[in-house]
Amino acid sequence: MNPNVVCETLNGFFGVSVGGLATMNLNLGRRYHKIVLTGSGTTESPYGVKEFEYVRMLLNGMEFLRYTPEQLHEINSLYGRGQYDDPNSLTIYFERPWAETPALEDALCIGTGPGVQLFTIEVKIKSGLDSVPELKGYQFYDLTRQTVTENGTTYETALPPGEFLQTVLYTKQFSANAGGVYCYDVPVRGLLQALHFDTNKIKEIEVYLGTTSIYHVKDKDFALINRMHDMEDSGKWTHIMLNQGRVKSGILNSEKTNFNIRVVTEEAISPNCIIDCVVSSL
C-alpha cells in the first residue's frame, strides 16, 4: 500500500436534482487511486446506489470512463473487489489488480499532471425519484508534492507518474439471427487489456489484427482462461482477458492496425462491450 495516499471527502457537486446531471471538477496535480460515491442510503439494489443511472469521468472534456452501477459491480467482482461494494455506494478503482508490483499499480492510476487542464466527475441522477438524493463521496489520491529532508537538504518531491486508463463503453447491435456473427473495428488506440461483454449468451469470440486471427476462444474455455488469470466471473457476463496477467502486455491497437472482434451469439441480442485500454496520453 502506498503510504502517501490521502482520503478526502468530495464536496461541491453541482446540478444534483431528480433526472439531473451532477458534476464536479477535481483538483489537478494529483494521482487518483479510487473514487467512492454515496447516495441517500435508501437503496434496494445489490449493485450500488439506486439513485444513479450512470457515472462517467472526463479528462480535458474527453470521456475515458463510463459505468452503470450494474456494470461497475460486475467488473469489481471479476477483479476480486465485489465483496467490498457497499449497497449504498459505488467504488471506482483506477489501478488494476494484475499489476506485478505496488509501483506498477500506482503507475496505472489516473495522473493529472502536465497536459491535463480539467478532471471531471459526472453522475446522472435517475428520473422519477421521490426526492433529491444526497450525493457525497471520497477521493483517494497521492500526496504529489511533499517536503522531504534528507542529509540536511530539504526539497519537494516530483509529481508521481500515472498513465490514463481509458475505459470506453460501446453498444453494438449483433446479428438479428441466433448464432449470428458480428465484426467491427475498435477505434480505441492503446494497449488493450480486456473485453467485457454484459451477456453470457456468447458462444465464440475471435480477435483479429487486420486479417490475422490472434485470439480465438469458445464458450467452454472462457471461465478456464479467466481462472488462469485468478479472475472469477459471475457467469452473467463474458470476460476476455488480453493482457496475459501482466500490466505491460496486451494487444497494441495503433493507427497502423485494424483491430476487429468476431462474435458468435446464441440468440439475437444487443450487448454492451466495455474495453479496458491503457494509454499514456490524451
mmCIF file of all heavy atoms in Angstrom, residues 68-106:
data_model
loop_
_atom_site.group_PDB
_atom_site.id
_atom_site.type_symbol
_atom_site.label_atom_id
_atom_site.label_comp_id
_atom_site.label_asym_id
_atom_site.label_seq_id
_atom_site.Cartn_x
_atom_site.Cartn_y
_atom_site.Cartn_z
ATOM 1 N N THR A 68 -22.554 1.970 -15.601
ATOM 2 C CA THR A 68 -23.773 1.898 -14.807
ATOM 3 C C THR A 68 -23.404 1.195 -13.506
ATOM 4 O O THR A 68 -22.372 0.513 -13.429
ATOM 5 C CB THR A 68 -24.868 1.103 -15.515
ATOM 6 O OG1 THR A 68 -24.459 -0.271 -15.627
ATOM 7 C CG2 THR A 68 -25.151 1.672 -16.906
ATOM 8 N N PRO A 69 -24.222 1.320 -12.447
ATOM 9 C CA PRO A 69 -23.921 0.590 -11.214
ATOM 10 C C PRO A 69 -23.779 -0.915 -11.424
ATOM 11 O O PRO A 69 -22.903 -1.541 -10.826
ATOM 12 C CB PRO A 69 -25.117 0.926 -10.312
ATOM 13 C CG PRO A 69 -25.566 2.268 -10.785
ATOM 14 C CD PRO A 69 -25.365 2.240 -12.263
ATOM 15 N N GLU A 70 -24.607 -1.493 -12.283
ATOM 16 C CA GLU A 70 -24.531 -2.931 -12.531
ATOM 17 C C GLU A 70 -23.214 -3.320 -13.189
ATOM 18 O O GLU A 70 -22.586 -4.313 -12.814
ATOM 19 C CB GLU A 70 -25.707 -3.372 -13.417
ATOM 20 C CG GLU A 70 -27.065 -3.290 -12.764
ATOM 21 C CD GLU A 70 -27.677 -1.902 -12.821
ATOM 22 O OE1 GLU A 70 -27.031 -0.966 -13.349
ATOM 23 O OE2 GLU A 70 -28.806 -1.730 -12.331
ATOM 24 N N GLN A 71 -22.785 -2.538 -14.170
ATOM 25 C CA GLN A 71 -21.523 -2.823 -14.852
ATOM 26 C C GLN A 71 -20.345 -2.695 -13.906
ATOM 27 O O GLN A 71 -19.431 -3.524 -13.915
ATOM 28 C CB GLN A 71 -21.358 -1.874 -16.044
ATOM 29 C CG GLN A 71 -22.348 -2.111 -17.165
ATOM 30 C CD GLN A 71 -22.374 -0.970 -18.166
ATOM 31 O OE1 GLN A 71 -21.942 0.144 -17.871
ATOM 32 N NE2 GLN A 71 -22.889 -1.236 -19.349
ATOM 33 N N LEU A 72 -20.364 -1.662 -13.087
ATOM 34 C CA LEU A 72 -19.265 -1.439 -12.153
ATOM 35 C C LEU A 72 -19.164 -2.579 -11.151
ATOM 36 O O LEU A 72 -18.069 -3.065 -10.840
ATOM 37 C CB LEU A 72 -19.468 -0.111 -11.435
ATOM 38 C CG LEU A 72 -18.335 0.350 -10.515
ATOM 39 C CD1 LEU A 72 -17.034 0.483 -11.288
ATOM 40 C CD2 LEU A 72 -18.688 1.669 -9.852
ATOM 41 N N HIS A 73 -20.294 -3.033 -10.624
ATOM 42 C CA HIS A 73 -20.281 -4.128 -9.650
ATOM 43 C C HIS A 73 -19.755 -5.410 -10.290
ATOM 44 O O HIS A 73 -18.981 -6.149 -9.667
ATOM 45 C CB HIS A 73 -21.685 -4.357 -9.103
ATOM 46 C CG HIS A 73 -21.781 -5.506 -8.151
ATOM 47 N ND1 HIS A 73 -21.274 -5.452 -6.866
ATOM 48 C CD2 HIS A 73 -22.286 -6.760 -8.300
ATOM 49 C CE1 HIS A 73 -21.484 -6.614 -6.266
ATOM 50 N NE2 HIS A 73 -22.095 -7.416 -7.115
ATOM 51 N N GLU A 74 -20.136 -5.682 -11.530
ATOM 52 C CA GLU A 74 -19.681 -6.902 -12.207
ATOM 53 C C GLU A 74 -18.162 -6.900 -12.380
ATOM 54 O O GLU A 74 -17.496 -7.896 -12.112
ATOM 55 C CB GLU A 74 -20.361 -7.024 -13.568
ATOM 56 C CG GLU A 74 -19.871 -8.177 -14.427
ATOM 57 C CD GLU A 74 -20.256 -9.548 -13.901
ATOM 58 O OE1 GLU A 74 -21.255 -9.630 -13.155
ATOM 59 O OE2 GLU A 74 -19.576 -10.540 -14.228
ATOM 60 N N ILE A 75 -17.598 -5.778 -12.815
ATOM 61 C CA ILE A 75 -16.150 -5.715 -13.033
ATOM 62 C C ILE A 75 -15.401 -5.724 -11.714
ATOM 63 O O ILE A 75 -14.350 -6.359 -11.581
ATOM 64 C CB ILE A 75 -15.809 -4.489 -13.895
ATOM 65 C CG1 ILE A 75 -16.336 -4.712 -15.314
ATOM 66 C CG2 ILE A 75 -14.301 -4.242 -13.922
ATOM 67 C CD1 ILE A 75 -16.063 -3.591 -16.272
ATOM 68 N N ASN A 76 -15.912 -5.048 -10.708
ATOM 69 C CA ASN A 76 -15.290 -5.117 -9.385
ATOM 70 C C ASN A 76 -15.264 -6.551 -8.870
ATOM 71 O O ASN A 76 -14.286 -6.990 -8.257
ATOM 72 C CB ASN A 76 -16.032 -4.217 -8.394
ATOM 73 C CG ASN A 76 -15.737 -2.741 -8.591
ATOM 74 O OD1 ASN A 76 -14.844 -2.378 -9.356
ATOM 75 N ND2 ASN A 76 -16.489 -1.891 -7.917
ATOM 76 N N SER A 77 -16.352 -7.299 -9.107
ATOM 77 C CA SER A 77 -16.414 -8.691 -8.661
ATOM 78 C C SER A 77 -15.417 -9.557 -9.408
ATOM 79 O O SER A 77 -14.756 -10.418 -8.824
ATOM 80 C CB SER A 77 -17.836 -9.237 -8.852
ATOM 81 O OG SER A 77 -18.764 -8.529 -8.063
ATOM 82 N N LEU A 78 -15.282 -9.339 -10.724
ATOM 83 C CA LEU A 78 -14.312 -10.088 -11.516
ATOM 84 C C LEU A 78 -12.911 -9.895 -10.979
ATOM 85 O O LEU A 78 -12.113 -10.835 -10.914
ATOM 86 C CB LEU A 78 -14.374 -9.639 -12.983
ATOM 87 C CG LEU A 78 -13.337 -10.262 -13.919
ATOM 88 C CD1 LEU A 78 -13.663 -11.718 -14.202
ATOM 89 C CD2 LEU A 78 -13.252 -9.476 -15.217
ATOM 90 N N TYR A 79 -12.587 -8.676 -10.558
ATOM 91 C CA TYR A 79 -11.258 -8.358 -10.069
ATOM 92 C C TYR A 79 -11.094 -8.619 -8.574
ATOM 93 O O TYR A 79 -10.122 -8.187 -7.963
ATOM 94 C CB TYR A 79 -10.933 -6.889 -10.356
ATOM 95 C CG TYR A 79 -10.831 -6.555 -11.842
ATOM 96 C CD1 TYR A 79 -10.939 -5.248 -12.284
ATOM 97 C CD2 TYR A 79 -10.627 -7.556 -12.794
ATOM 98 C CE1 TYR A 79 -10.844 -4.938 -13.636
ATOM 99 C CE2 TYR A 79 -10.539 -7.254 -14.135
ATOM 100 C CZ TYR A 79 -10.643 -5.952 -14.554
ATOM 101 O OH TYR A 79 -10.547 -5.647 -15.885
ATOM 102 N N GLY A 80 -12.059 -9.335 -7.974
ATOM 103 C CA GLY A 80 -11.940 -9.717 -6.579
ATOM 104 C C GLY A 80 -12.259 -8.608 -5.599
ATOM 105 O O GLY A 80 -11.844 -8.652 -4.444
ATOM 106 N N ARG A 81 -13.047 -7.616 -6.050
ATOM 107 C CA ARG A 81 -13.364 -6.479 -5.183
ATOM 108 C C ARG A 81 -14.849 -6.345 -4.898
ATOM 109 O O ARG A 81 -15.274 -5.436 -4.192
ATOM 110 C CB ARG A 81 -12.876 -5.180 -5.839
ATOM 111 C CG ARG A 81 -11.364 -5.111 -5.956
ATOM 112 C CD ARG A 81 -10.963 -4.086 -6.973
ATOM 113 N NE ARG A 81 -9.549 -3.766 -6.896
ATOM 114 C CZ ARG A 81 -8.879 -3.163 -7.865
ATOM 115 N NH1 ARG A 81 -9.497 -2.814 -8.962
ATOM 116 N NH2 ARG A 81 -7.596 -2.896 -7.732
ATOM 117 N N GLY A 82 -15.655 -7.218 -5.463
ATOM 118 C CA GLY A 82 -17.095 -7.102 -5.320
ATOM 119 C C GLY A 82 -17.560 -7.197 -3.886
ATOM 120 O O GLY A 82 -18.569 -6.602 -3.509
ATOM 121 N N GLN A 83 -16.826 -7.964 -3.070
ATOM 122 C CA GLN A 83 -17.237 -8.109 -1.676
ATOM 123 C C GLN A 83 -17.114 -6.808 -0.904
ATOM 124 O O GLN A 83 -17.684 -6.665 0.177
ATOM 125 C CB GLN A 83 -16.420 -9.199 -0.981
ATOM 126 C CG GLN A 83 -14.943 -8.881 -0.789
ATOM 127 C CD GLN A 83 -14.089 -9.357 -1.951
ATOM 128 O OE1 GLN A 83 -14.571 -9.418 -3.080
ATOM 129 N NE2 GLN A 83 -12.845 -9.714 -1.678
ATOM 130 N N TYR A 84 -16.349 -5.853 -1.466
ATOM 131 C CA TYR A 84 -16.198 -4.564 -0.797
ATOM 132 C C TYR A 84 -17.249 -3.549 -1.247
ATOM 133 O O TYR A 84 -17.300 -2.442 -0.719
ATOM 134 C CB TYR A 84 -14.802 -3.993 -1.045
ATOM 135 C CG TYR A 84 -13.688 -4.922 -0.651
ATOM 136 C CD1 TYR A 84 -12.807 -5.446 -1.582
ATOM 137 C CD2 TYR A 84 -13.525 -5.300 0.684
ATOM 138 C CE1 TYR A 84 -11.775 -6.304 -1.210
ATOM 139 C CE2 TYR A 84 -12.509 -6.163 1.062
ATOM 140 C CZ TYR A 84 -11.640 -6.661 0.104
ATOM 141 O OH TYR A 84 -10.644 -7.521 0.474
ATOM 142 N N ASP A 85 -18.072 -3.916 -2.238
ATOM 143 C CA ASP A 85 -19.084 -2.992 -2.742
ATOM 144 C C ASP A 85 -20.208 -2.851 -1.732
ATOM 145 O O ASP A 85 -20.942 -3.799 -1.456
ATOM 146 C CB ASP A 85 -19.651 -3.488 -4.079
ATOM 147 C CG ASP A 85 -18.694 -3.263 -5.234
ATOM 148 O OD1 ASP A 85 -17.650 -2.637 -4.996
ATOM 149 O OD2 ASP A 85 -18.996 -3.712 -6.350
ATOM 150 N N ASP A 86 -20.345 -1.667 -1.177
ATOM 151 C CA ASP A 86 -21.424 -1.388 -0.243
ATOM 152 C C ASP A 86 -22.686 -1.074 -1.034
ATOM 153 O O ASP A 86 -22.621 -0.389 -2.059
ATOM 154 C CB ASP A 86 -21.036 -0.191 0.635
ATOM 155 C CG ASP A 86 -22.095 0.119 1.666
ATOM 156 O OD1 ASP A 86 -22.035 -0.468 2.763
ATOM 157 O OD2 ASP A 86 -22.980 0.947 1.375
ATOM 158 N N PRO A 87 -23.860 -1.579 -0.613
ATOM 159 C CA PRO A 87 -25.086 -1.328 -1.384
ATOM 160 C C PRO A 87 -25.487 0.134 -1.453
ATOM 161 O O PRO A 87 -26.343 0.497 -2.246
ATOM 162 C CB PRO A 87 -26.141 -2.162 -0.641
ATOM 163 C CG PRO A 87 -25.584 -2.376 0.721
ATOM 164 C CD PRO A 87 -24.109 -2.458 0.534
ATOM 165 N N ASN A 88 -24.875 0.979 -0.640
ATOM 166 C CA ASN A 88 -25.204 2.398 -0.661
ATOM 167 C C ASN A 88 -24.099 3.243 -1.289
ATOM 168 O O ASN A 88 -24.087 4.467 -1.114
ATOM 169 C CB ASN A 88 -25.474 2.901 0.760
ATOM 170 C CG ASN A 88 -26.691 2.238 1.366
ATOM 171 O OD1 ASN A 88 -27.688 2.040 0.688
ATOM 172 N ND2 ASN A 88 -26.606 1.860 2.627
ATOM 173 N N SER A 89 -23.162 2.615 -1.996
ATOM 174 C CA SER A 89 -22.072 3.390 -2.590
ATOM 175 C C SER A 89 -21.574 2.727 -3.861
ATOM 176 O O SER A 89 -21.846 1.553 -4.121
ATOM 177 C CB SER A 89 -20.908 3.537 -1.596
ATOM 178 O OG SER A 89 -20.303 2.287 -1.354
ATOM 179 N N LEU A 90 -20.847 3.492 -4.662
ATOM 180 C CA LEU A 90 -20.157 2.994 -5.852
ATOM 181 C C LEU A 90 -18.676 3.283 -5.685
ATOM 182 O O LEU A 90 -18.298 4.410 -5.382
ATOM 183 C CB LEU A 90 -20.668 3.698 -7.116
ATOM 184 C CG LEU A 90 -22.119 3.459 -7.535
ATOM 185 C CD1 LEU A 90 -22.434 4.277 -8.779
ATOM 186 C CD2 LEU A 90 -22.365 1.987 -7.796
ATOM 187 N N THR A 91 -17.831 2.278 -5.904
ATOM 188 C CA THR A 91 -16.386 2.458 -5.811
ATOM 189 C C THR A 91 -15.769 2.247 -7.183
ATOM 190 O O THR A 91 -15.940 1.193 -7.788
ATOM 191 C CB THR A 91 -15.759 1.481 -4.802
ATOM 192 O OG1 THR A 91 -16.377 1.660 -3.530
ATOM 193 C CG2 THR A 91 -14.264 1.733 -4.676
ATOM 194 N N ILE A 92 -15.061 3.244 -7.659
ATOM 195 C CA ILE A 92 -14.404 3.196 -8.960
ATOM 196 C C ILE A 92 -12.904 3.098 -8.719
ATOM 197 O O ILE A 92 -12.285 4.041 -8.222
ATOM 198 C CB ILE A 92 -14.734 4.446 -9.785
ATOM 199 C CG1 ILE A 92 -16.248 4.578 -9.950
ATOM 200 C CG2 ILE A 92 -14.047 4.394 -11.148
ATOM 201 C CD1 ILE A 92 -16.682 5.929 -10.445
ATOM 202 N N TYR A 93 -12.320 1.958 -9.050
ATOM 203 C CA TYR A 93 -10.885 1.737 -8.891
ATOM 204 C C TYR A 93 -10.185 2.090 -10.196
ATOM 205 O O TYR A 93 -10.591 1.654 -11.274
ATOM 206 C CB TYR A 93 -10.598 0.278 -8.548
ATOM 207 C CG TYR A 93 -11.194 -0.201 -7.246
ATOM 208 C CD1 TYR A 93 -12.457 -0.774 -7.209
ATOM 209 C CD2 TYR A 93 -10.492 -0.091 -6.052
ATOM 210 C CE1 TYR A 93 -13.009 -1.224 -6.017
ATOM 211 C CE2 TYR A 93 -11.033 -0.532 -4.853
ATOM 212 C CZ TYR A 93 -12.296 -1.107 -4.844
ATOM 213 O OH TYR A 93 -12.848 -1.544 -3.670
ATOM 214 N N PHE A 94 -9.109 2.856 -10.115
ATOM 215 C CA PHE A 94 -8.337 3.194 -11.305
ATOM 216 C C PHE A 94 -7.183 2.213 -11.517
ATOM 217 O O PHE A 94 -6.878 1.830 -12.645
ATOM 218 C CB PHE A 94 -7.807 4.622 -11.213
ATOM 219 C CG PHE A 94 -8.902 5.647 -11.147
ATOM 220 C CD1 PHE A 94 -8.934 6.584 -10.143
ATOM 221 C CD2 PHE A 94 -9.903 5.664 -12.095
ATOM 222 C CE1 PHE A 94 -9.937 7.529 -10.078
ATOM 223 C CE2 PHE A 94 -10.923 6.596 -12.046
ATOM 224 C CZ PHE A 94 -10.949 7.534 -11.036
ATOM 225 N N GLU A 95 -6.506 1.802 -10.446
ATOM 226 C CA GLU A 95 -5.448 0.811 -10.602
ATOM 227 C C GLU A 95 -6.062 -0.544 -10.957
ATOM 228 O O GLU A 95 -7.236 -0.782 -10.696
ATOM 229 C CB GLU A 95 -4.596 0.699 -9.333
ATOM 230 C CG GLU A 95 -5.283 0.001 -8.165
ATOM 231 C CD GLU A 95 -6.136 0.896 -7.316
ATOM 232 O OE1 GLU A 95 -6.330 2.066 -7.696
ATOM 233 O OE2 GLU A 95 -6.628 0.431 -6.267
ATOM 234 N N ARG A 96 -5.276 -1.404 -11.564
ATOM 235 C CA ARG A 96 -5.760 -2.720 -11.965
ATOM 236 C C ARG A 96 -5.081 -3.793 -11.119
ATOM 237 O O ARG A 96 -3.895 -3.694 -10.798
ATOM 238 C CB ARG A 96 -5.495 -2.971 -13.456
ATOM 239 C CG ARG A 96 -6.355 -2.102 -14.374
ATOM 240 C CD ARG A 96 -7.827 -2.337 -14.118
ATOM 241 N NE ARG A 96 -8.680 -1.701 -15.088
ATOM 242 C CZ ARG A 96 -9.410 -0.615 -14.843
ATOM 243 N NH1 ARG A 96 -9.321 -0.030 -13.672
ATOM 244 N NH2 ARG A 96 -10.195 -0.111 -15.768
ATOM 245 N N PRO A 97 -5.801 -4.868 -10.771
ATOM 246 C CA PRO A 97 -5.279 -5.845 -9.812
ATOM 247 C C PRO A 97 -4.182 -6.735 -10.362
ATOM 248 O O PRO A 97 -3.553 -7.457 -9.599
ATOM 249 C CB PRO A 97 -6.530 -6.671 -9.457
ATOM 250 C CG PRO A 97 -7.403 -6.558 -10.659
ATOM 251 C CD PRO A 97 -7.186 -5.175 -11.179
ATOM 252 N N TRP A 98 -3.948 -6.727 -11.677
ATOM 253 C CA TRP A 98 -2.910 -7.592 -12.227
ATOM 254 C C TRP A 98 -1.529 -6.926 -12.218
ATOM 255 O O TRP A 98 -0.578 -7.464 -12.775
ATOM 256 C CB TRP A 98 -3.264 -8.025 -13.646
ATOM 257 C CG TRP A 98 -3.626 -6.909 -14.580
ATOM 258 C CD1 TRP A 98 -2.789 -5.976 -15.123
ATOM 259 C CD2 TRP A 98 -4.926 -6.618 -15.077
ATOM 260 N NE1 TRP A 98 -3.497 -5.121 -15.932
ATOM 261 C CE2 TRP A 98 -4.814 -5.493 -15.930
ATOM 262 C CE3 TRP A 98 -6.183 -7.192 -14.916
ATOM 263 C CZ2 TRP A 98 -5.905 -4.937 -16.594
ATOM 264 C CZ3 TRP A 98 -7.253 -6.632 -15.570
ATOM 265 C CH2 TRP A 98 -7.119 -5.520 -16.395
ATOM 266 N N ALA A 99 -1.419 -5.769 -11.620
ATOM 267 C CA ALA A 99 -0.113 -5.119 -11.516
ATOM 268 C C ALA A 99 0.859 -6.010 -10.758
ATOM 269 O O ALA A 99 0.524 -6.588 -9.736
ATOM 270 C CB ALA A 99 -0.245 -3.769 -10.812
ATOM 271 N N GLU A 100 2.075 -6.138 -11.270
ATOM 272 C CA GLU A 100 3.053 -7.055 -10.688
ATOM 273 C C GLU A 100 3.675 -6.513 -9.415
ATOM 274 O O GLU A 100 4.141 -7.263 -8.572
ATOM 275 C CB GLU A 100 4.151 -7.342 -11.720
ATOM 276 C CG GLU A 100 3.637 -8.063 -12.954
ATOM 277 C CD GLU A 100 4.665 -8.112 -14.059
ATOM 278 O OE1 GLU A 100 5.100 -7.023 -14.509
ATOM 279 O OE2 GLU A 100 5.037 -9.208 -14.471
ATOM 280 N N THR A 101 3.715 -5.196 -9.271
ATOM 281 C CA THR A 101 4.322 -4.571 -8.095
ATOM 282 C C THR A 101 3.447 -3.402 -7.651
ATOM 283 O O THR A 101 2.665 -2.859 -8.445
ATOM 284 C CB THR A 101 5.733 -4.038 -8.406
ATOM 285 O OG1 THR A 101 5.622 -2.973 -9.365
ATOM 286 C CG2 THR A 101 6.624 -5.146 -8.944
ATOM 287 N N PRO A 102 3.571 -2.967 -6.390
ATOM 288 C CA PRO A 102 2.844 -1.779 -5.943
ATOM 289 C C PRO A 102 3.171 -0.538 -6.779
ATOM 290 O O PRO A 102 2.305 0.306 -7.018
ATOM 291 C CB PRO A 102 3.301 -1.615 -4.489
ATOM 292 C CG PRO A 102 3.672 -2.992 -4.044
ATOM 293 C CD PRO A 102 4.280 -3.640 -5.267
ATOM 294 N N ALA A 103 4.416 -0.431 -7.237
ATOM 295 C CA ALA A 103 4.804 0.729 -8.040
ATOM 296 C C ALA A 103 4.055 0.745 -9.378
ATOM 297 O O ALA A 103 3.618 1.803 -9.845
ATOM 298 C CB ALA A 103 6.311 0.726 -8.277
ATOM 299 N N LEU A 104 3.889 -0.432 -9.989
ATOM 300 C CA LEU A 104 3.150 -0.501 -11.243
ATOM 301 C C LEU A 104 1.672 -0.215 -11.022
ATOM 302 O O LEU A 104 1.014 0.403 -11.853
ATOM 303 C CB LEU A 104 3.324 -1.877 -11.887
ATOM 304 C CG LEU A 104 4.600 -2.099 -12.691
ATOM 305 C CD1 LEU A 104 4.663 -3.527 -13.205
ATOM 306 C CD2 LEU A 104 4.669 -1.111 -13.856
ATOM 307 N N GLU A 105 1.143 -0.664 -9.901
ATOM 308 C CA GLU A 105 -0.260 -0.385 -9.599
ATOM 309 C C GLU A 105 -0.461 1.124 -9.441
ATOM 310 O O GLU A 105 -1.451 1.683 -9.915
ATOM 311 C CB GLU A 105 -0.692 -1.116 -8.332
ATOM 312 C CG GLU A 105 -2.173 -1.008 -8.066
ATOM 313 C CD GLU A 105 -2.681 -2.073 -7.120
ATOM 314 O OE1 GLU A 105 -2.315 -3.244 -7.280
ATOM 315 O OE2 GLU A 105 -3.450 -1.719 -6.220
ATOM 316 N N ASP A 106 0.492 1.795 -8.786
ATOM 317 C CA ASP A 106 0.426 3.249 -8.673
ATOM 318 C C ASP A 106 0.488 3.911 -10.050
ATOM 319 O O ASP A 106 -0.217 4.887 -10.328
ATOM 320 C CB ASP A 106 1.572 3.775 -7.803
ATOM 321 C CG ASP A 106 1.357 3.488 -6.321
ATOM 322 O OD1 ASP A 106 0.228 3.146 -5.938
ATOM 323 O OD2 ASP A 106 2.331 3.605 -5.561
#
